[in-house]
Amino acid sequence: MVTIQLNQYNNDWYKPGSTVKKIFWYFTNMLFFKTLLPYPSSFKIKLLKLFGAKIGQRVVIKPNVNIKYPWFLTIGDDCWIGEGGWIDNLAKVSIGSNVILSQDAYLLTGSHDYTKKSFDLMIGEIILEDGVWIGAKAIVCPNVTCRSHSVLAVGSVATKNMKAFGVYQGNPAIYKRMREIK
């Protein structure tokens, strides 16, 4: 029987940015984002843009938000990112306009191939189209697109694409009903 051999793990192919850039971002993230100090969103947005993020107008970023690599991040207008949100973007994350990431929501772009003894790194983009709501403590997995105005309920895990205006719940999240906006 073949077993996992972590000494064979090698992700040399993955180069998300220079070491200097990653170190500067690490300390910026810890000091101004992953903190309970309520720095203004406008200040945080300037920092994100300085590191290559594309950010729209009137974006609200609450305290204690963790962002892996801002140079892989695009956010549209009028979005909210709640306390404890984690954008673990080893790959590109595109967030449309009027999107809500509730408290402790997790956007996860990386995983590992558990079928390989070397436990290879796998990455995949995430797209949240306009009007999407990711509920508190919900997780969006790599290679998932949440179509326009879809909802991922609290504590749910999106492992597959979500259709427009669909409400999804569970682990893995399944379609429950249409979202009706009045």
Side-chain angles (χ1 to χ4, degrees), residues 150-169:
S150 57
V151 175
L152 183 61
V154 63
S156 297
V157 180
T159 59
K160 295 184 176 164
N161 294 344
M162 296 169 30
K163 69 180 184 177
F165 289 87
V167 177
Y168 291 78
Q169 183 178 24

Side-chain angles (χ1 to χ4, degrees), residues 119-158:
F119 205 58
D120 295 348
L121 176 66
M122 302 183 311
I123 60 172
E125 297 181 2
I126 290 175
I127 300 169
L128 306 180
E129 294 181 352
D130 293 348
V132 166
W133 178 18
I134 305 300
K137 297 188 183 289
I139 300 170
V140 179
C141 292
N143 295 310
V144 169
T145 297
C146 300
R147 299 279 178 214
S148 175
H149 293 82
S150 57
V151 175
L152 183 61
V154 63
S156 297
V157 180

Side-chain angles (χ1 to χ4, degrees), residues 17 22 25 33 40 43 65 71 82 91 95 103 117 136 146 153 173 176:
K22 291 187 293 185
W25 173 249
F33 290 83
F43 174 68
V65 168
W71 45 94
I95 298 173
Q103 299 86 342
K117 65 181 177 180
C146 300
K176 292 293 188 174

Side-chain angles (χ1 to χ4, degrees), residues 56-67:
Q57 302 295 311
R58 298 170 302 278
V59 171
V60 175
I61 302 172
K62 293 293 194 171
N64 201 29
V65 168
N66 191 14
I67 298 170

Side-chain angles (χ1 to χ4, degrees), residues 7 15-16 65 72 77 83 90-91 110 118 123 135 146 155 165-166 179:
N7 63 334
K15 306 223 182 297
V65 168
F72 293 149
D77 297 331
E83 292 89 349
L90 298 171
S118 55
I123 60 172
C146 300
F165 289 87
R179 178 182 187 183

